[in-house]
Amino acid sequence: MKKIQWKGGALLAPVPPAMVTCGSMEQPNVLTIAWTGIINTIPPKTYISVRPSRFSYPMIKESGEFVINLTTASMIRAADFCGVRSGRELDKFEACGLEIEEGFTVSAPVLSQSPVSLECRVTEIIPLGSHDMFLADITAVDVDPQYLDEQGKLCLSRSHLAAFAHGEYFELGKKIGSFGFSVRKKRKKHPGGKKRK
Ligand SMILES: Cc1cc2nc3c(=O)[nH]c(=O)nc-3n(C[C@H](O)[C@H](O)[C@H](O)COP(=O)(O)O)c2cc1C
C-alpha cells in the first residue's frame, strides 16, 4: 500500500531518552533530552538541542559543560519525571532518588545510576528555531564496571537500555545482530566438531 503524506515533523525513532546533568556538584540539575546524537567519531562529538526556556539552558551555556547519562529501564520513571518537571520548582535528584558523583574532566555532575555517562564540553551554540543546539566534544566516557566482562568488553545488553519512540518508552530487548554480521564469514567447523582457532 502507498504511504500517506504527513507534514514534516520530528518523528525519528527510536531516540535515547537521555538524562542530561548540568551545573555543579553543589548546584546540580538534570533534564531529559531526546534530541541528541553522535555527529563525529574522531574527535568524538555530540550535540543536545535545548529550548532556551529550560532552567538548564543558562546553566549549560554559562558553564559550557554537561553530561549525557544513558537511561535504563529501571531509570525510566525518573527520566520521564525529569522531563516534565523543572529544577526551578524542585530538586529532581531528591524527588527521584538520583545520586551524583564527580566527573573526570568536567565540573558538571555525573549520574551514578547510569551505566555510561558522556562528559561533554560545549564548542558551539547554534540557534535553530525552537531549540538551540549545543555542539560539544566528548571529553570522557564514564563506565560502570559492573557492565564489563572479564575481557573488559562493555556488555550494554546487561543494562536494559531505554528507548523513546513517538511519545512512548521502550526497553531494548532481543539482540538481533552485531556490527558487520551481514557480511561476516561463518567459521567452518573441523570434522571433529571443534572450531578452528
Ligand atoms: C522523553 C523526553 C524528551 C525530551 N527531550 C527534550 C529535548 O531534546 N530538548 C529539550 O529542550 N527538552 C526536552 N524535553 C523536555 C525537558 O526535559 C523538560 O522541559 C524539563 O522539565 C526541563 O527541565 P529544567 O527546566 O529543569 O531544565 C524532553 C522531555 C521528555 C519527557
Side-chain angles (χ1 to χ4, degrees):
M1 202 192 289
K2 200 172 166 356
K3 286 186 185 170
I4 56 163
Q5 181 189 0
W6 286 0
K7 67 178 167 54
L11 216 172
L12 177 67
V15 286
M19 297 182 76
V20 170
T21 38
C22 57
S24 60
M25 288 298 287
E26 295 73 35
Q27 284 181 310
N29 194 40
V30 51
L31 84 166
T32 305
I33 291 283
W35 301 163
T36 180
I38 296 294
I39 48 167
N40 199 53
T41 311
I42 305 167
K45 280 183 171 285
T46 184
Y47 76 92
I48 55 170
S49 285
V50 184
R51 279 187 192 259
S53 58
R54 309 295 185 223
F55 181 61
S56 305
Y57 181 93
M59 298 174 91
I60 298 170
K61 190 172 178 177
E62 276 151 34
S63 66
E65 293 176 352
F66 60 89
V67 178
I68 298 176
N69 304 277
L70 303 194
T71 301
T72 63
S74 62
M75 294 162 67
I76 203 66
R77 181 167 280 275
D80 185 67
F81 186 89
C82 295
V84 293
R85 288 295 172 90
S86 177
R88 258 186 219 106
E89 306 150 13
L90 80 171
D91 180 341
K92 292 191 248 186
F93 299 93
E94 201 185 307
C96 299
L98 295 169
E99 280 163 29
I100 52 171
E101 55 195 57
E102 279 183 9
F104 294 95
T105 62
V106 295
S107 352
V110 171
L111 214 52
S112 303
Q113 278 98 335
S114 179
V116 175
S117 303
L118 279 56
E119 298 183 15
C120 303
R121 192 163 294 126
V122 178
T123 55
E124 218 177 315
I125 304 173
I126 305 174
L128 295 173
S130 58
H131 292 62
D132 282 7
M133 186 187 205
F134 289 92
L135 293 189
D137 288 326
I138 302 170
T139 52
V141 176
D142 310 349
V143 180
D144 183 336
Q146 70 167 299
Y147 300 107
L148 300 178
D149 69 11
E150 285 100 59
Q151 282 75 44
K153 183 178 176 279
L154 178 61
C155 303
L156 271 181
S157 56
R158 283 192 209 154
S159 70
H160 304 278
L161 287 176
F164 182 60
H166 197 37
E168 295 175 331
Y169 304 107
F170 297 85
E171 176 179 344
L172 289 196
K174 206 171 89 193
K175 177 177 158 187
I176 52 173
S178 62
F179 184 89
F181 84 107
S182 61
V183 294
R184 206 171 294 139
K185 287 201 179 88
K186 283 194 184 122
R187 283 193 190 165
K188 280 188 188 148
K189 281 183 181 172
H190 271 313
K194 281 189 179 166
K195 280 182 188 162
R196 210 184 314 183
K197 286 235 172 94

